[in-house]
Amino acid sequence: MNRPFFALAPLLVACALQDDRLPAPPDPLYETREKHDPNGIGKFFMNREIAHIMGPGGIPWLERPEREDEERPTKVIEALELKGEEVVCDFGAGSGYYTFRLAPKVPKGKVLAVEIQDDMIKELKKNIEAKKTANVEVIKGTEKDPKLPEKGVDLLLMVDVYHELEFPYETMLAIRKGLKPGGRVVLVEFRKEDPKVPIKEVHKMSEEQIKKEMALFGLTHVKTVGTLPWQHIAIYKR
């Protein structure tokens, strides 16, 4: 007797993961806990609590003038070693703080600014018009899918974003599909190893945790750059 397609779906997914040589996902994939950090959503991935997402109320903090001294975004962009022709994705672009710093670095390429929040997207589009930036494309993603062109991205940057992904497993699998062979994923995350970093604990990640999670998606650790006052620059490659 033929089995219905929905009954075969888990088997097909498992086969696809095996063909792509990806490790099996954690079981269970996510956990919900009643006792958790008040700054987190109570949902855990690989024993790490997912943090609340920053909404448009956080724009003044994202755009604060002190950010250059505190986080050194210029050094982040230097660490990307862009050549000028790449397709770069600013994932979780917010108001475009990094988007509009990346755009001049890829004059023959473009920046895909991915956001899921409508108010942030309005801000992005307003800033594109005000700055007359021609090589930025805004993409509205979903909580599980960034809507990237398949094998169309050279480098994807997430600045203080990965730890807020509500569905990190599904999102990262979709990101992997969007990367060109040899494409890079760069995570900038506040260092959990350093208690002096003045950020809430659930918004920090350790280098060990980042490596453990990225290994699930077949991403190879290239290097971690330690030039920032508060954050890791963790670079991975497909």
Side-chain angles (χ1 to χ4, degrees), residues 39-60:
N39 298 297
I41 65 173
K43 180 179 178 180
F44 288 74
F45 178 64
M46 299 191 76
N47 208 36
R48 170 185 63 84
E49 185 171 7
I50 296 165
H52 283 291
I53 192 169
M54 178 180 286
I59 289 175

Side-chain angles (χ1 to χ4, degrees), residues 7 12 20 63 67 75 115 118-119 152 172-173 193 204 218 223 235:
L12 293 174
D20 213 11
E63 300 286 348
R67 192 169 181 182
K75 287 189 175 292
E115 250 301 332
D118 288 335
D119 287 340
M172 287 303 301
L173 286 184
E193 298 91 338
K204 297 180 181 181
K223 60 181 175 179
I235 302 175

Side-chain angles (χ1 to χ4, degrees), residues 2-233:
N2 291 334
R3 297 173 68 186
F5 176 80
F6 66 79
L8 292 172
L11 180 61
L12 293 174
V13 171
C15 290
L17 290 173
Q18 186 176 14
D19 289 345
D20 213 11
R21 297 197 176 103
L22 294 181
D27 184 21
L29 187 56
Y30 301 108
E31 294 179 75
T32 301
R33 302 178 189 172
E34 288 187 16
K35 292 184 178 179
H36 64 89
D37 191 309
N39 298 297
I41 65 173
K43 180 179 178 180
F44 288 74
F45 178 64
M46 299 191 76
N47 208 36
R48 170 185 63 84
E49 185 171 7
I50 296 165
H52 283 291
I53 192 169
M54 178 180 286
I59 289 175
W61 190 79
L62 292 173
E63 300 286 348
R64 70 195 188 281
E66 301 87 0
R67 192 169 181 182
E68 180 59 52
D69 290 333
E70 294 173 348
E71 298 184 29
R72 308 285 168 84
T74 301
K75 287 189 175 292
V76 172
I77 292 174
E78 286 174 2
L80 304 181
E81 299 178 340
L82 295 170
K83 308 300 182 189
E85 299 180 351
E86 296 92 338
V87 176
V88 179
C89 175
D90 182 11
F91 187 97
S95 56
Y97 184 86
Y98 269 90
T99 299
F100 299 107
R101 286 162 172 77
L102 289 167
K105 302 296 182 182
V106 287
K108 296 182 181 179
K110 68 176 179 176
V111 179
L112 305 178
V114 174
E115 250 301 332
I116 65 171
Q117 300 181 79
D118 288 335
D119 287 340
M120 290 293 201
I121 289 172
K122 286 178 186 176
E123 191 72 15
L124 270 170
K125 290 181 175 178
K126 183 178 79 175
N127 288 334
I128 289 172
E129 187 174 344
K131 297 173 186 292
K132 302 189 185 320
T133 309
N135 64 336
V136 172
E137 177 185 342
V138 178
I139 297 176
K140 182 175 181 180
T142 71
E143 291 174 334
K144 295 183 179 180
D145 186 357
K147 306 291 185 182
L148 297 174
E150 188 168 353
K151 295 182 180 177
V153 175
D154 293 288
L155 182 143
L156 183 138
L157 174 67
M158 281 194 251
V159 179
D160 307 328
V161 167
Y162 178 76
H163 66 271
E164 295 180 352
L165 297 179
E166 187 173 351
F167 296 92
Y169 187 76
E170 295 87 343
T171 300
M172 287 303 301
L173 286 184
I175 284 172
R176 193 177 190 280
K177 289 179 182 178
L179 291 175
K180 295 179 182 179
R184 293 177 291 159
V185 171
V186 180
L187 304 185
V188 179
E189 289 285 345
F190 290 103
R191 295 195 298 271
K192 197 175 186 69
E193 298 91 338
D194 187 352
K196 295 178 183 176
V197 173
I199 296 295
K200 294 171 181 177
E201 284 301 305
V202 78
H203 286 277
K204 297 180 181 181
M205 283 192 74
S206 68
E207 188 174 0
E208 180 183 1
Q209 184 72 25
I210 294 170
K211 285 182 179 178
K212 185 167 66 172
E213 295 189 25
M214 292 303 104
L216 273 179
F217 313 112
L219 298 176
T220 303
H221 182 238
V222 177
K223 60 181 175 179
T224 299
V225 180
T227 56
L228 305 185
W230 292 346
Q231 295 145 301
H232 304 291
I233 305 174

